Amino acid sequence: MSPPIPPIHKRIFLVAAGDLEGAGSVSTAVRRTLRELGVEPDVVKRAGIVCFEGEMNMVLFSQGGRIILIVREDRVELLFSDRGPGIANIDLARQPGYSTAPDWARELGFGSGLGIPNMEQNSDRFEIHSRVGEGTVIRSTILRGVHDDTGDRGGARA
Amino acid sequence: MTIQAIVEELGLEALVAADLAREVRGGYCSDLLSDVLAHAKAGDLWITHQRHLNVVAVAKLRELSGVICVRGLAPGPDVISRAADEKINLLLTSEDAFEVAGRLHRLLHP
């Protein structure tokens, strides 16, 4: 396997637990950064959605964590890592409609059980690792220059 | 059809008139944020009961043409100012979601 192409940009964002007011700010900053770097609009859009969902999960479920944005010539990577309860059953969490969100979050329109599926659907590669009682790590990779510019990936969006 | 025409036809109140010349592709009704992120299309007008800050983020991420808040459930000043910053059309109606969705559908698909 050839070594990955070195990053042209790397940035670390901190995410505070329970900060619903500020939630979405990392996603906004990531989109702005990617646009400034001249990343393709379709990739910016997908990275924005992946980041928003990951950020929301951290805000709602974890005790805080960080998001690392890595931009390379051929891909954008988003690494999420949090301290928190972890995910007991990752297979269930990847299924659309499964959620452990509390009622107050559901009333605000969260907890539809589409967060992780949305992250996966907008990624070209998606890895999730979790340890109960410790936290969760997610790596999303979005490849550049392989999709059209409509933001919708054909059959991927059922 | 433009947002401007829809605002006039449906008698909506424009809380944020960021870009009323924007073309509306269709509509999407949902109160679930991730559902909108997954299934709404760019250019859709989003009809919802939600009225917190993340509504603006979702509308921006999905490149929606605007948001219609229903049943007079007006968002607070923080949401209005964020929508203005992000250039999201934010509209308000006293009608319920069913009524406004039905009327919007008739306008877009006469």
Side-chain angles (χ1 to χ4, degrees):
Chain A
M1 224 173 86
S2 56
I5 297 171
I8 53 178
H9 185 87
K10 182 174 174 181
R11 194 166 160 197
I12 299 174
F13 303 89
L14 298 179
V15 179
D19 180 17
L20 271 181
E21 298 285 296
S25 61
V26 178
S27 168
T28 302
V30 162
R31 275 185 300 133
R32 187 181 304 125
T33 301
L34 294 177
R35 271 199 306 269
E36 283 168 5
L37 290 169
V39 171
E40 303 73 14
D42 171 54
V43 174
V44 177
K45 188 189 289 186
R46 288 164 57 206
I49 291 175
V50 169
C51 191
F52 181 81
E53 294 285 15
E55 194 181 348
M56 284 302 152
N57 280 346
M58 263 187 209
V59 167
L60 290 170
F61 297 109
S62 85
Q63 290 151 21
R66 62 184 193 172
I67 300 173
I68 304 178
L69 168 70
I70 299 171
V71 185
R72 303 182 199 273
E73 291 286 343
D74 65 336
R75 72 192 64 185
V76 170
E77 291 167 340
L78 284 160
L79 309 174
F80 304 83
S81 57
D82 68 48
R83 301 173 306 283
I87 301 171
N89 188 331
I90 288 180
D91 288 339
L92 269 180
R94 289 171 97 144
Q95 282 178 20
Y98 177 81
S99 175
T100 58
D103 286 346
W104 66 264
R106 290 175 196 257
E107 280 168 19
L108 293 171
F110 300 102
S112 57
L114 290 170
I116 290 172
N118 274 357
M119 293 178 82
E120 200 159 355
Q121 198 147 57
N122 284 283
S123 304
D124 290 301
R125 285 177 211 151
F126 185 80
E127 290 168 53
I128 177 165
H129 304 281
S130 191
R131 202 164 278 171
V132 172
E134 290 183 29
T136 301
V137 176
I138 291 177
R139 176 195 294 263
S140 160
T141 305
I142 300 168
L143 300 178
R144 300 177 61 183
V146 294
H147 296 286
D148 64 19
D149 225 10
T150 61
D152 289 312
R153 292 188 300 151
R157 205 176 296 276
Chain B
M1 183 174 268
T2 63
I3 295 269
Q4 177 71 49
I6 288 166
V7 164
E8 286 167 15
E9 291 283 343
L10 300 185
L12 306 175
E13 180 185 342
L15 301 173
V16 175
D19 178 13
L20 294 184
R22 175 96 191 259
E23 278 292 318
V24 176
R25 190 208 72 97
Y28 198 77
C29 302
S30 182
D31 292 335
L32 300 172
L33 306 184
S34 293
D35 174 56
V36 176
L37 283 177
H39 299 294
K41 300 279 191 297
D44 278 354
L45 249 180
W46 176 18
I47 297 170
T48 186
H49 296 85
Q50 300 295 354
R51 48 174 170 166
H52 52 79
L53 278 171
N54 296 115
V55 167
V56 178
V58 167
K60 189 76 185 172
L61 282 168
R62 215 64 200 96
E63 297 175 354
L64 305 179
S65 54
V67 181
I68 302 182
C69 300
V70 299
R71 229 163 25 77
L73 295 165
D78 53 338
V79 176
I80 290 173
S81 100
R82 180 78 63 90
D85 290 346
E86 297 282 349
K87 299 187 173 55
I88 295 294
N89 292 309
L90 191 59
L91 313 168
L92 178 66
T93 178
S94 57
E95 291 180 349
D96 65 34
F98 179 79
E99 283 299 325
V100 76
R103 293 176 66 202
L104 178 62
H105 194 278
R106 278 200 297 280
L107 274 182
L108 293 174
H109 306 283

